Amino acid sequence: MPTVYDPRGQVGAEAKAVSARVKSLDGLRLGVLDNTKWNANKLLREVRDQLKGAHKFGAVNYYRKEAFSRFADPQLIEQIRAENDVVVTAIGD
Amino acid sequence: MSARLADKPQSPATLTPVDDATDLVEWYYEHGYSDGLPVVPPTEAKIDAMVAALGGDPEHLETRVPPRWGGLTRRVLAINLVMAGCKPEYAPIVRAAMLALCEPAFNLNGVQATTHMASPLLVVNGPLAKEVGMNGGCNAFGSGNRANATIGRAIRLVMLNVGGAWPGDLDKSTLGSPAKYTYAVCENEAQSPFAPYHVEKGFKAEDSTVFVIAAEPIHSVVNHVANDPQGILDSMVSAMSTFAHNNAVMAGHCTVVIGLEHAITIAKHGWKRADIRNYLWSNAKIRFGDIAFDHRYGKVYNRNLPVWYKRDLESRIPIVPSADNIHLFVMGGEAGRFSAFIPGWGSMSSPVLREIDRPGVKGSAKREPICVDGTCYL
């Protein structure tokens, strides 16, 4: 009886829980992460401005990755985590 | 998401008995474990021979391959090597290539998933290329050589099967490229009038190395007229100086292949590798206004180019930030006045050069990119 082989290799991923959803944005600190794609800043600035007009945030912070195709620097992720309660990111090709 | 991404592979990688009547080639097609061409159905004996060529210990984890981050054990690598049609003596080259590709600075995660058509180009230097029969001569980038074809194919199968970059799933390339089937060559060291690439980078001639770079397909550079370096290289400058390839808009690294006849003409005038790279770098320039479309679609700064580039519309900016970002190889057959320009993907990926480990020959040396403030140099 012939045998076949799975060529994929195992994935060692761990499941992570999604953060609890917030009920209101008022008073929270909003972070916006721009991934530096061609049109990401246009999209995200508009999102930021619309959100600012609709909610009373405690703070609004804007961040940029070094390069759109690379992972964000772990220090930047840590900074965003420390300085914000909710974060919005997007690409804009 | 397709089943091949969602399913969990068994451990260890894995044998499933099937009916005697099963068409094995079709079985791999049906499960999506192919690059589109028929694969060689693995057998235990063939897998064992590959694992032995990698130094034994089949469950040894060599690396994880993004964006799926599948575990590339020697056994999994061996299965893919057999499927690609490799001989066991090719295995250390493919392993070294995968280790180079999985260096963080290469950013294989991005290369695999990008909408661009980039594919990793592998160039092998040193005696191992000749020992296994790789071709850097006539038709080097073409068909007909088993080592080139199956080494490149094995890398692609690993990127598909272990890395999960199946087109439409995690590979989002708009157009793709034929280089996504196989893209592996060696330098024509035996006939080149210059020092080999890896020697220029500090290795010994007797070392064997792999060089990987995220690359567009090759672009022909013809010059049947010039009998001096400037004339030949001005044709290369012309090919480099367009604003449509990714280096123009995103900097990074590129590859220049000097055909053998061109290389011999250039060398007769006493020019060395650095002279060629410096000439190309200082002359291959484009007008900033061209890549910014003279701000016709709004004022564009282009944050992907180095901050030190002048951004006046009439500024002449280089194709890559430094002559060291031009990776130069001599290849090709004895007849024909052709060279090639191979644009890179951009500053999002840095090429990697590393020595090839073989059982009994531990080559630990590698030239990892040195990254300072987001800019990487090899």
Side-chain angles (χ1 to χ4, degrees), chain B residues 80-198:
Chain B
N80 284 278
L81 285 160
V82 173
M83 290 168 69
C86 288
K87 292 181 176 179
E89 55 262 42
Y90 307 164
I93 296 174
V94 176
R95 169 176 50 196
M98 288 314 309
L99 293 176
L101 291 171
C102 293
E103 289 282 350
F106 188 84
N107 186 18
L108 184 61
N109 192 55
V111 176
Q112 291 257 67
T114 178
T115 46
H116 186 242
M117 61 177 64
S119 182
L121 163 65
L122 167 70
V123 185
V124 181
N125 273 102
L128 193 56
K130 187 178 178 189
E131 282 174 33
V132 304
M134 288 191 80
N135 177 29
C138 177
N139 205 39
F141 284 91
S143 53
N145 178 276
R146 179 175 178 178
N148 289 25
T150 64
I151 287 169
R153 189 188 187 199
I155 292 167
R156 176 51 55 184
L157 284 176
V158 170
M159 291 195 297
L160 289 166
N161 291 329
V162 188
W166 290 294
D169 281 338
L170 297 178
D171 180 344
K172 300 296 188 189
S173 180
T174 306
L175 292 170
S177 135
K180 287 197 168 196
Y181 284 96
T182 182
Y183 208 10
V185 285
C186 65
E187 188 162 25
N188 188 349
E189 293 180 26
Q191 293 180 293
S192 170
F194 304 120
Y197 173 82
H198 68 313

Side-chain angles (χ1 to χ4, degrees), chain A residues 1-13 34-42 45 62 64 66-71 93, chain B residues 4 7 9 11 14-18 20 27-28 33 42 44 64 68 71 80 105 107 110 161-162 250 303-304 345 347-350:
Chain A
M1 189 174 277
T3 302
V4 291
Y5 297 83
D6 189 327
R8 293 175 296 170
Q10 288 194 299
V11 175
D34 174 355
N35 82 339
T36 72
K37 264 275 185 187
W38 309 112
N39 295 308
N41 57 356
K42 294 175 192 162
R45 283 174 190 159
Y62 197 88
R64 272 188 51 201
E66 272 301 316
F68 57 79
S69 185
R70 292 188 189 273
F71 295 122
D93 221 337
Chain B
R4 62 192 164 186
D7 284 354
S11 175
T14 51
L15 28 152
T16 307
V18 290
D20 280 337
W27 188 91
Y28 288 96
Y33 303 150
E44 206 59 35
R64 288 194 174 277
R68 179 175 165 268
N80 284 278
N107 186 18
N161 291 329
V162 188
M250 283 184 271
R303 291 173 292 180
N304 300 298
W345 183 41
S347 57
M348 306 80 75
S349 173
S350 301

Side-chain angles (χ1 to χ4, degrees), chain B residues 45-358:
Chain B
K46 287 180 177 175
I47 294 167
D48 287 349
M50 287 295 179
V51 170
L54 293 165
D57 191 3
E59 296 312 314
H60 176 82
L61 182 67
E62 294 283 1
T63 187
R64 288 194 174 277
V65 186
R68 179 175 165 268
W69 300 103
L72 187 68
T73 62
R74 287 180 183 165
R75 182 171 172 82
V76 169
L77 176 57
I79 291 168
N80 284 278
L81 285 160
V82 173
M83 290 168 69
C86 288
K87 292 181 176 179
E89 55 262 42
Y90 307 164
I93 296 174
V94 176
R95 169 176 50 196
M98 288 314 309
L99 293 176
L101 291 171
C102 293
E103 289 282 350
F106 188 84
N107 186 18
L108 184 61
N109 192 55
V111 176
Q112 291 257 67
T114 178
T115 46
H116 186 242
M117 61 177 64
S119 182
L121 163 65
L122 167 70
V123 185
V124 181
N125 273 102
L128 193 56
K130 187 178 178 189
E131 282 174 33
V132 304
M134 288 191 80
N135 177 29
C138 177
N139 205 39
F141 284 91
S143 53
N145 178 276
R146 179 175 178 178
N148 289 25
T150 64
I151 287 169
R153 189 188 187 199
I155 292 167
R156 176 51 55 184
L157 284 176
V158 170
M159 291 195 297
L160 289 166
N161 291 329
V162 188
W166 290 294
D169 281 338
L170 297 178
D171 180 344
K172 300 296 188 189
S173 180
T174 306
L175 292 170
S177 135
K180 287 197 168 196
Y181 284 96
T182 182
Y183 208 10
V185 285
C186 65
E187 188 162 25
N188 188 349
E189 293 180 26
Q191 293 180 293
S192 170
F194 304 120
Y197 173 82
H198 68 313
V199 173
E200 184 186 30
K201 295 293 181 185
F203 285 96
K204 295 176 189 155
E206 60 267 30
D207 295 334
S208 293
T209 59
V210 290
F211 167 78
V212 291
I213 183 169
E216 294 184 7
I218 76 167
H219 180 92
S220 176
V221 174
V222 61
N223 187 320
H224 284 85
V225 178
N227 61 3
D228 61 10
Q230 288 92 337
I232 293 168
L233 296 177
D234 282 348
S235 290
M236 184 65 73
V237 164
S238 173
M240 296 169 78
S241 305
T242 80
F243 62 86
H245 57 65
N246 260 36
N247 287 128
V249 293
M250 283 184 271
H253 298 250
C254 66
T255 306
V256 165
V257 176
I258 304 292
L260 191 57
E261 272 203 56
H262 282 165
I264 290 167
T265 301
I266 292 168
K268 277 182 183 165
H269 287 75
W271 286 40
K272 308 294 185 199
R273 300 180 67 96
D275 301 318
I276 298 169
R277 291 189 295 101
N278 288 332
Y279 185 88
L280 294 175
W281 184 75
S282 63
N283 289 285
K285 293 191 171 155
I286 51 175
R287 181 180 163 269
F288 180 76
D290 288 344
I291 66 162
F293 291 91
D294 290 326
H295 298 322
R296 182 169 150 194
Y297 305 107
K299 188 156 187 188
V300 173
Y301 174 79
N302 193 333
R303 291 173 292 180
N304 300 298
L305 296 175
V307 291
W308 56 268
Y309 280 16
K310 280 184 81 173
R311 284 166 164 82
D312 301 334
L313 292 180
E314 298 307 323
S315 299
R316 306 288 298 176
I317 61 170
I319 291 299
V320 289
S322 154
D324 288 336
N325 291 35
I326 298 172
H327 300 274
L328 182 71
F329 298 91
V330 174
M331 293 180 202
E334 292 173 356
R337 297 186 69 80
F338 296 95
S339 292
F341 175 53
I342 309 177
W345 183 41
S347 57
M348 306 80 75
S349 173
S350 301
V352 177
L353 172 67
R354 66 172 292 144
E355 194 171 356
I356 300 169
D357 293 328
R358 284 186 276 174

